[in-house]
Amino acid sequence: MKKVVKFGGSSLASAEQFRKVGEIIRSDEGRRYVVPSAPGKRFAKDTKVTDMLYQCYRLAEEGADFDRALAAIQARYQEIIDGLELDLSLDGEFAVIKEQFAAQAGRDYAASRGEYLNGIVMANYLGYEFVDAAEVIVFDSEGNFLEEKTNAIMSARLADAERAVVPGFYGACEDGSIKTFSRGGSDVTGSVVARAVHADIYENWTDVSGFLIADPRIIENPKAIRTITYKELRELAYMGASVLHEDAIFPVHKEGIPINIRNTNCPEDEGTMIVRKTCRKPEFTITGIAGKKGFVAINIEKDMMNSEIGFGRKVLSAFEENGISFEHLPSGIDTLTVFVHRDEFVEKEQKVLSLIQQYTNPDSIEIDNDLALIAVVGRAMKEKRGTAARVFAALAHNNINVKMIDQGSSELNIIIGVREYDFENAVRAIYDIFVTSEL
Ligand code: ASP
């Protein structure tokens, strides 16, 4: 068995957490490749080391004194090193970091040091080889991740390493400058390492016992999902369900490697398995619910729209030319609605509207603001009749007006648009009808 294990920041926030991680790794011979995040929060009001690094670097950029801020970061690592009684000094590393900050080596360089240093500590603690991610994860000069090139370099490098620690979150551009993935990107590193070593499984250790059916900020104690397919997860992640970085699915998906989300604080829990295909039936009709606020709908109406070939293309080109991606596109005979993210749309609103006017000469354009979208996702929905009916009955019973319905052609999801103020109630109503009532 060859396993890649990634540990999130809260799993590595203190020496005590490191010890739990050490036990987990040592309890299974197969856990040969370890991807650590930077130390996260030790308690709710604590600051993640990554954020401390960003703040510290900002001082350096402003030409202000950053010695104290950097010393506070070193203290976080020293606390871990002392707690683990390691024979390790990071003084030399911090001297280099100080120089690089003063020379303004870049925000990405700054942020990446959190993982880099934690990787050194982890490798020392476990007695594993340290492989700097800058050697094995490659970006082009525009900062785009080069997946295939990375895979080739990483596979070759790790073939020589029986057991290794590869820090998460960053890599390097071809000119050697450090580049990070977006926030939470250590998940992506873990997935890339799993693909490169042809792992049997990619274990992603965090502080929850798996992926939850619904957002715990809305539903009290939601049930965890036992098995979910990549596709279902992608639908949910896209709609805001967070546990795993959105891009972490792709590298392992290519190889069909399952991801297992596990809880460092409850290692006996099975967590969630994310797989390509499964014959396991979901416990409930739906696998999960996720949603987001902050959408705007642009409703375009024109008599005889149905016979005007190219109408949709013209409307969409008004968005495309302004670099706005659309989310959903429900249509009627003489109406077409475009759902977009408010944040992306708001600045360019007037330009888009005037282009739509110019290209299509519609009878009317209306804007509907403050909308939320909810995705009800489940591979079992396809086989079951009446799922949509149950969703809408539940919403109707809770006096929630549905603004939009969109069932993807895969029948994997039903997307519902509601007013933002109805959002939480809508999620609760859907959870109740499918989960609470199916228990
Ligand atoms: N430490 C980085 C962050 O806070 C990356 C990660 O944890 O995955 O976003």
Side-chain angles (χ1 to χ4, degrees), residues 323-367:
I324 301 170
S325 74
F326 74 94
E327 292 300 309
H328 291 280
L329 197 67
S331 65
I333 300 175
D334 293 329
T335 60
L336 184 74
T337 303
V338 187
F339 273 78
V340 290
H341 281 282
R342 183 169 44 228
D343 291 349
E344 274 184 57
F345 178 67
V346 69
E347 293 297 324
K348 298 169 183 162
E349 167 191 81
Q350 295 311 314
K351 283 192 197 149
V352 176
L353 296 181
S354 76
L355 279 185
I356 297 175
Q357 185 68 40
Q358 192 183 316
Y359 292 164
T360 65
N361 193 25
D363 295 336
S364 73
I365 307 180
E366 301 287 340
I367 295 187

Side-chain angles (χ1 to χ4, degrees), residues 46-58:
D46 201 10
T47 309
K48 290 173 153 199
V49 164
T50 309
D51 291 313
M52 295 171 85
L53 284 159
Y54 279 126
Q55 284 156 16
C56 179
Y57 188 69
R58 202 169 310 130

Side-chain angles (χ1 to χ4, degrees), residues 239 290-297 328 339-340 342 368-375 400-405 415-424 426-427:
M239 274 306 217
K292 270 193 211 168
K293 292 183 180 176
F295 290 93
V296 174
H328 291 280
F339 273 78
V340 290
R342 183 169 44 228
D368 217 347
N369 204 348
D370 300 331
L371 294 171
L373 291 177
I374 299 169
I400 295 163
N401 187 13
V402 174
K403 302 290 296 175
M404 193 267 306
I405 307 165
I415 310 275
I416 302 143
V418 297
R419 290 256 163 253
E420 280 183 350
Y421 55 70
D422 280 332
F423 176 68
E424 284 82 3
V427 172

Side-chain angles (χ1 to χ4, degrees), residues 297-315:
I298 298 99
N299 302 309
I300 303 149
E301 226 180 299
K302 186 176 186 184
D303 269 352
M304 306 292 286
M305 180 191 288
N306 62 326
S307 59
E308 199 179 316
I309 290 173
F311 191 91
R313 178 182 50 74
K314 289 179 205 155
V315 169

Side-chain angles (χ1 to χ4, degrees), residues 17 35 42 51 59 62 82 91 103 134 140 150 185 188 191 199 236 239 255 260 271 305 326 340:
Q17 289 298 87
V35 176
R42 293 161 294 185
D51 291 313
L59 294 174
E62 287 163 2
D82 292 343
D91 288 349
D140 69 13
T150 295
V188 184
S191 182
L236 290 170
M239 274 306 217
E255 289 263 324
N260 190 191
M305 180 191 288
F326 74 94
V340 290

Side-chain angles (χ1 to χ4, degrees), residues 13-15 42 74-85:
S14 63
R42 293 161 294 185
Q74 185 162 4
R76 289 287 306 265
Y77 288 98
Q78 200 54 48
E79 191 186 295
I80 295 170
I81 292 171
D82 292 343
L84 296 175
E85 296 171 34

Side-chain angles (χ1 to χ4, degrees), residues 6-9 37-39 48 50-51 54 111 114-115 168-169 182-187:
K6 179 259 168 178
F7 290 89
S37 281
K48 290 173 153 199
T50 309
D51 291 313
Y54 279 126
E115 272 70 9
F169 192 36
S182 54
R183 292 300 303 264
S186 299
D187 287 340

